[in-house]
Amino acid sequence: NVLDYTFLEGKPYTQQQLNNGERVAVISEETKRNYFGEVPHVVGKYLETNNEQYRVIGVVKNVPVTLPFVYSDIYVPYTLSQRDLEDRSFGGKYTAILLARSAADLPAIKEEFNQLIRKIPLKGENFDKINGNTDSYLEVFTRIIFGDESNNGVGKFVLIMSLFVFTFMLLPTL
């Protein structure tokens, strides 16, 4: 419901399939070709991964690997994860992607998230602070490379890119 995948065959899994714990999967067109060969349709066929059988219910157009939060070869419901979904530890294994109704809603969403983070009780003596970020796609990468918990690094990224462009434009002049 949040991401805009292009379905070449079949459809996404439904809320009922999630609730029932059905072992269903949506696969990329590359996975279809690599696993099943050059066949016209694979919806309804079974795919095995990690010693588990999944019924293919959809095939999506390949997503570039440069989009790591949305790229995959196989998409299965998070409810089938072998990770403990009830685990309340601070270092989770999931990333949330929210779809706002409009860009004007983003400040309110960020503020609500920050309020929720401040309400989380600190457990144990090893923690004195919790960091949580509501970053745009660009901010995720710039925070990883150039930023820290209080700075998303976009300014540093823009400065470095500007210096690079300036240097590149200066070379013909020299």
Side-chain angles (χ1 to χ4, degrees):
N1 294 331
V2 175
L3 300 171
D4 191 19
Y5 292 100
T6 302
F7 275 80
L8 304 173
E9 185 180 337
K11 60 187 187 309
Y13 29 87
T14 65
Q15 185 62 47
Q16 183 176 0
Q17 289 169 319
L18 288 172
N19 295 343
N20 294 342
E22 293 181 34
R23 294 201 169 282
V24 292
V26 173
I27 61 174
S28 69
E29 62 183 325
E30 183 178 9
T31 301
K32 172 189 173 184
R33 190 173 32 260
N34 291 340
Y35 193 86
F36 295 104
E38 296 296 331
V39 296
H41 303 288
V42 296
V43 169
K45 294 186 177 192
Y46 285 84
L47 168 86
E48 183 175 332
T49 182
N50 293 336
N51 297 319
E52 299 284 347
Q53 291 274 334
Y54 295 91
R55 182 171 48 90
V56 176
I57 60 168
V59 178
V60 293
K61 189 172 172 138
N62 290 335
V63 175
V65 72
T66 55
L67 301 173
F69 296 112
V70 296
Y71 160 82
S72 188
D73 292 319
I74 179 171
Y75 303 87
V76 298
Y78 73 94
T79 52
L80 298 178
S81 174
Q82 295 178 359
R83 295 186 183 349
D84 181 6
L85 298 177
E86 301 299 319
D87 183 7
R88 301 286 185 228
S89 62
F90 289 126
K93 302 293 183 193
Y94 291 94
T95 298
I97 300 173
L98 303 177
L99 177 64
R101 285 182 295 258
S102 71
D105 292 339
L106 292 177
I109 291 170
K110 287 183 175 191
E111 181 54 34
E112 182 178 350
F113 178 81
N114 291 332
Q115 287 177 7
L116 290 171
I117 289 290
R118 286 192 292 269
K119 290 180 183 178
I120 297 173
L122 294 173
K123 297 178 183 178
E125 301 172 13
N126 297 334
F127 301 105
D128 60 356
K129 180 166 111 175
I130 297 175
N131 292 322
N133 304 303
T134 53
D135 291 339
S136 68
Y137 195 74
L138 173 64
E139 290 169 335
V140 168
F141 290 105
T142 58
R143 183 180 303 277
I144 291 168
I145 298 169
F146 303 110
D148 55 37
E149 67 240 15
S150 63
N151 177 2
N152 62 22
V154 172
K156 201 180 283 186
F157 173 74
V158 170
L159 176 66
I160 290 171
M161 290 307 294
S162 297
L163 287 172
F164 175 76
V165 169
F166 177 72
T167 304
F168 187 73
M169 298 297 283
L170 188 62
L171 285 176
T173 305
L174 295 177

